[in-house]
Amino acid sequence: MKDLLTINALTAEEIEDILTLSAELKKKQKNRQMDCPLIGRTLGMFFEKPSTRTRVSFEVGIYQLGGQAIVLPVSDLQIGRGETIADTARVLSRYIDAIVIRTFEHKIVEEWAGHASIPVINGLTDMHHPCQALADVFTIKEKKGSLKGLKLTYIGDGNNVAHSLIEICAKTGVDISLACPKGYEPDKKIVKDAIEDAKRQGSSINIIADPIKAANNADILYTDVWASMGQEKEHKKRLKIFKDYQLNKKLLKSAKPDALVMHCLPAHRGEEITEEVLEGTNSVIFDQAENRLHTQKAVMLRLMK
């Protein structure tokens, strides 16, 4: 495990190790037990997209582990004036110990990883969001006790979050059903590759159009915004296309009574999820957000120690 670019690049054993370490780190943090194994280490943070949870959780996380973070705004770097990723990655590798990158095209993080001699962590691309998926399954395991045999239903756009959920469910034995409007299904290659992992774990991947059918007997209901970052111009169009894909009380009734409600945030209340469901007793959305801190600390320890 040199980098964290996608969930698919991790083994099932590496995922389990990260989840176990996340639980240990969370317990220590709650008990105010200071453990600083990354003293003297520096994490660079290169963000081309806005961020709340990713930036704050990584910055706080490296501090709690004894290290420090340096935010690297594009406008302040020579890369904004034409210096290549290859040259920037090689130079930064001489100064810092790892870098988190939040960008658009996935090939950009691959290029960084190809030229950097330090670990590269994908803080989100248009195709993948592995840090989010790790926090998601950690939250599910925390609430349900185990993962294998559970059913997760994802409602909405087959986006980067959906892709990483597909990959991590396949590797951890969770059945996943995705209800997406026609033309907004997840990437076919990502699904195809994940099906092989699912077969080995005895789980399934199903993509259907009907959200009610997809939610039937689900242990977890998950949604995300209908228009991701960079798709703002499509917002009005997507409101019409996705109007039947709202996570609401009716949909919640199709799932198990104790089903978890999840959302990676930020949420557009009244669009992809209702206020009532987001704030309801089934919601673990803010536990899920908190757990970004603990799983990312585990990732940094495994990559930087």
Side-chain angles (χ1 to χ4, degrees):
M1 187 177 167
K2 175 190 176 292
D3 306 299
L4 176 61
L5 304 187
T6 68
I7 292 296
N8 192 46
L10 300 177
T11 65
E13 291 74 22
E14 285 172 330
I15 292 170
E16 182 59 36
D17 173 61
I18 290 169
L19 300 183
T20 301
L21 181 56
S22 299
E24 294 172 6
L25 292 169
K26 183 172 183 177
K27 184 177 180 181
K28 284 183 178 181
Q29 194 258 339
K30 295 296 182 184
N31 292 333
R32 302 293 184 184
Q33 295 175 315
M34 297 301 293
D35 187 9
C36 302
L38 296 184
I39 287 177
R41 301 297 178 92
T42 302
L43 177 73
M45 302 172 68
F46 180 81
F47 287 1
E48 293 186 295
K49 288 185 175 185
S51 176
T52 299
R53 280 148 292 277
T54 300
R55 173 173 174 173
V56 176
S57 54
F58 267 113
E59 197 161 352
V60 171
I62 188 70
Y63 171 76
Q64 290 182 355
L65 293 172
Q68 64 177 348
I70 296 178
V71 178
L72 305 166
V74 180
S75 59
D76 292 354
L77 298 178
Q78 294 294 347
I79 199 169
R81 299 179 61 248
E83 185 172 30
T84 65
I85 288 175
D87 288 352
T88 306
R90 291 166 67 192
V91 169
L92 290 179
S93 295
R94 307 294 180 101
Y95 299 149
I96 60 179
D97 300 287
I99 187 166
V100 180
I101 297 171
R102 188 177 180 92
T103 187
F104 293 89
E105 294 180 81
H106 188 73
K107 67 180 182 181
I108 293 174
V109 294
E110 292 177 333
E111 188 175 355
W112 275 93
H115 294 283
S117 58
I118 56 173
V120 174
I121 301 170
N122 177 2
L124 177 144
T125 65
D126 288 345
M127 287 296 284
H128 296 276
H129 200 352
C131 294
Q132 182 65 56
L134 288 167
D136 294 339
V137 293
F138 176 57
T139 306
I140 294 167
K141 189 174 183 180
E142 194 175 50
K143 301 297 181 181
K144 294 291 187 182
S146 61
L147 295 171
K148 272 190 178 290
L150 295 177
K151 177 184 176 181
L152 184 151
T153 295
Y154 176 91
I155 308 292
D157 186 26
N159 60 13
N160 49 5
V161 171
H163 292 156
S164 291
L165 282 173
I166 289 168
E167 292 180 340
I168 205 161
C169 285
K171 287 182 179 287
T172 57
V174 176
D175 295 326
I176 182 167
S177 292
L178 299 99
C180 310
K182 188 175 181 180
Y184 294 87
E185 299 90 349
D187 182 83
K188 290 180 180 178
K189 187 180 185 305
I190 288 173
V191 174
K192 182 181 178 182
D193 291 344
I195 285 173
E196 296 305 312
D197 282 321
K199 285 178 181 177
R200 285 189 283 271
Q201 294 291 338
S203 58
S204 62
I205 301 171
N206 294 295
I207 301 170
I208 59 179
D210 188 335
I212 297 294
K213 287 183 180 178
N216 183 49
N217 212 34
D219 297 285
I220 306 105
L221 291 179
Y222 197 120
T223 192
D224 189 13
V225 293
W226 290 339
S228 298
M229 284 180 283
Q231 298 171 338
E232 287 81 5
K233 291 180 180 179
E234 299 179 31
H235 185 245
K236 287 185 179 179
K237 174 187 172 184
R238 287 177 175 244
L239 285 178
K240 295 178 182 178
I241 294 170
F242 284 85
K243 62 182 176 61
D244 295 326
Y245 290 81
Q246 184 185 70
L247 181 41
N248 52 33
K249 195 172 182 180
K250 180 182 177 182
L251 194 67
L252 187 56
K253 285 181 179 179
S254 295
K256 290 180 180 178
D258 62 345
L260 306 178
V261 169
M262 303 185 79
H263 192 307
C264 57
L265 298 176
H268 292 171
R269 298 172 186 237
E271 290 183 15
E272 75 275 1
I273 189 169
T274 62
E275 179 90 13
E276 179 183 31
V277 172
L278 190 149
E279 297 290 357
T281 56
N282 295 75
S283 175
V284 295
I285 290 169
F286 293 99
D287 295 317
Q288 182 186 355
E290 177 192 343
N291 283 336
R292 291 287 302 278
L293 172 66
H294 308 298
T295 52
Q296 286 162 191
K297 284 167 67 175
V299 166
M300 286 189 284
L301 268 181
R302 286 295 177 254
L303 289 174
M304 297 173 69
K305 192 173 180 182

